[in-house]
Amino acid sequence: MKALTWQGRRDVRVEDVPDPRIEEPTDAIVRITSTAICGSDLHLYEVLGPYLKPGDVLGHEPMGIVEEVGPGVTRLRPGDRVVVPFNIACGSCWMCDRQLYAQCETTQVTAEGKGAALFGYTSLYGSVPGGQAEYLRVPHAQFGPIKVPQTGPDERWLYLSDILPTAWQAVRYADTPPGGTLAVFGLGPVGQFCARIGRHLGAGRVIGLDLVPERLEMARRHGVEALDVSQLDDVPGALIDLVDGRGPDAVIDAVGMEAHGSTSGKLAQTAAGLLPDRLADAMIDRAGVDRLTVLKAALKAVRRGGTVSISGVYGGEVDPLPLMEMFDRGVQLRMGQCHVRRWTDEIVPLLAGDDDPLGVADLRTHRMPLARAPQAYEMFQKKEDGCVKVVLAP
């Protein structure tokens, strides 16, 4: 089959790889009809290369049609249309019983000290072949795949794989009081959904911050107050001034480790990427530094006693934070990998009607064949051609 493989820094290629097959009784084989490029895929394209090897199949936002199931899978059958969550969970361990699916004890990558295995996401998370491919082997299919109706375009359902529940969790964690103010740093795909979900769940005011014109305009279409940070000298100060002189009730960091404007963090990440993999692994694991411009701005902008919710991916081990200020101001901090299946039962009914309250029809800007995935990665990283979200068709 054809699949997108990692070959090196900023080097991904569509190649022929072996077809997946049933290996365990709880496996399923899914023929992929749509698969998206995630913002966190760009970390693999740039920063996290030391944890990949040439030929690794990328991608963790897939959906498609079930082709085959193992004897332990009774809830699915060939022909079912499913969305595959990015994290792999058994659904029945101690962690899964508590709906902490991103920490599933059955698939935890204990050798690396990490949580549940992920599709297409480095040796840190199990080196499981990903979904930017024509077919995908899905472990623990007795629990993971989300069965969706046969009707409607793929994009109505596709974002259940990652970015929609990730945004939903971020907003739930932010815990904005009814009628309160929520600020969202970063208006990429997750940030767009955070802003829309915030409004849907009762925030009286949602302020979005970014510097890409197309993202700002998309947010405005959905009733968000969109601020261009390139026009602000003091971002936290501007937010505090905008919200009663005290700041937003809650702030979401939907950017993560590769924030713009973090010169020292960027230099550290670049230096790690130039080392041999064995040395780079150790440097990132023990002394990794993120670009913290956005996170620090979020911590300084939120009102006293407010909450900062982090959905952007971070990977540093020695990141300095303003703990004295955080403690003095009583800032609450919530974060973590999304527990996808914890939230999907709340989200699916919102996708089933015709009113589209979360605006899923207004996110994808480019649909491209899998064969053009390398060009799509480059365009997405460089934010060219108005690119906000790319969906690939195998």
Side-chain angles (χ1 to χ4, degrees):
M1 68 170 183
K2 299 291 186 183
L4 185 74
T5 64
W6 184 90
Q7 298 296 331
R9 185 168 176 263
R10 298 186 190 177
D11 182 4
V12 294
R13 306 175 199 171
V14 176
E15 297 188 325
D16 288 310
V17 303
D19 289 348
R21 57 183 179 81
I22 298 290
E23 298 178 17
E24 301 290 341
T26 53
D27 286 352
I29 303 299
V30 175
R31 174 174 55 83
I32 304 303
T33 55
S34 290
T35 181
I37 302 176
C38 181
S40 54
D41 285 328
L42 297 183
H43 303 324
L44 310 184
Y45 195 61
E46 188 75 36
V47 176
L48 296 179
Y51 294 103
L52 292 158
K53 62 183 185 299
D56 281 351
V57 178
L58 303 181
H60 60 267
E61 295 187 1
M63 69 173 292
I65 305 300
V66 175
E67 293 283 303
E68 184 182 0
V69 297
V73 180
T74 58
R75 56 182 288 271
L76 299 175
R77 61 183 181 181
D80 284 344
R81 189 186 194 194
V82 296
V83 177
V84 181
F86 75 96
N87 42 26
I88 304 169
C90 72
S92 59
C93 68
W94 192 92
M95 288 289 183
C96 288
D97 283 346
R98 288 152 181 79
Q99 295 188 304
L100 300 172
Y101 302 121
Q103 307 300 334
C104 172
E105 292 182 328
T106 302
T107 73
Q108 270 182 23
V109 187
T110 54
E112 299 289 349
K114 296 296 185 285
L118 311 179
F119 286 103
Y121 217 80
T122 80
S123 60
L124 293 176
Y125 289 97
S127 294
V128 182
Q132 289 170 359
E134 293 180 311
Y135 293 90
L136 177 67
R137 171 182 165 256
V138 181
H140 296 286
Q142 84 287 354
F143 173 72
I146 305 158
K147 189 175 176 180
V148 298
Q150 297 287 349
T151 57
D154 277 5
E155 280 90 343
R156 176 180 293 184
W157 311 105
L158 175 63
Y159 308 128
L160 288 167
S161 59
D162 180 353
I163 59 173
L164 199 48
T166 291
W168 192 276
Q169 176 173 293
V171 175
R172 289 294 195 195
Y173 280 8
D175 197 25
T176 311
T181 299
L182 171 68
V184 180
F185 279 82
L187 293 171
V190 170
Q192 295 286 341
F193 278 144
C194 285
R196 300 174 199 182
I197 292 166
R199 284 174 50 82
H200 177 77
L201 292 180
R205 186 180 184 188
V206 178
I207 302 170
L209 301 99
D210 207 294
L211 44 69
V212 179
E214 293 82 5
R215 293 179 173 186
L216 294 165
E217 180 55 36
M218 179 178 282
R220 292 186 183 111
R221 290 200 296 269
H222 294 269
V224 177
E225 297 178 50
L227 302 181
D228 184 345
V229 296
S230 69
Q231 303 301 309
L232 302 174
D233 294 328
D234 177 6
V235 174
L239 276 175
I240 290 169
D241 290 343
L242 274 172
V243 189
D244 306 318
R246 66 175 62 94
D249 299 289
V251 178
I252 294 173
D253 173 359
V255 179
M257 68 170 75
E258 292 188 82
H260 288 274
S262 301
T263 305
S264 60
K266 181 176 181 180
L267 289 172
Q269 290 174 350
T270 302
L274 296 174
L275 292 171
D277 284 356
R278 179 176 56 82
L279 298 177
D281 287 356
M283 179 177 175
I284 293 171
D285 189 45
R286 298 171 193 164
V289 177
D290 292 304
R291 306 186 203 176
L292 298 176
T293 299
V294 167
L295 180 54
K296 288 183 176 180
L299 292 167
K300 290 178 179 294
V302 71
R303 67 160 169 81
R304 288 177 177 270
T307 301
V308 173
S309 172
I310 305 174
S311 65
V313 175
Y314 284 97
E317 284 286 337
V318 293
D319 292 333
L321 292 176
L323 286 172
M324 182 176 70
E325 184 174 5
M326 293 164 62
F327 182 86
D328 174 70
R329 298 177 65 238
V331 173
Q332 302 176 74
L333 195 60
R334 297 194 72 183
M335 69 190 85
Q337 202 80 261
C338 180
H339 309 294
V340 173
R341 288 298 307 276
R342 177 175 180 174
W343 311 108
T344 51
D345 287 349
E346 296 181 28
I347 301 170
V348 167
L350 302 175
L351 308 180
D354 295 328
D355 52 344
D356 193 16
L358 304 183
V360 295
D362 184 26
L363 185 75
R364 187 260 298 163
T365 52
H366 294 75
R367 187 172 180 89
M368 302 169 68
L370 180 66
R372 294 191 61 206
Q375 293 90 337
Y377 265 74
E378 181 177 9
M379 174 180 65
F380 188 29
Q381 188 197 45
K382 294 180 177 179
K383 302 177 179 66
E384 295 175 337
D385 194 32
C387 182
V388 175
K389 186 66 174 177
V390 181
V391 175
L392 301 172

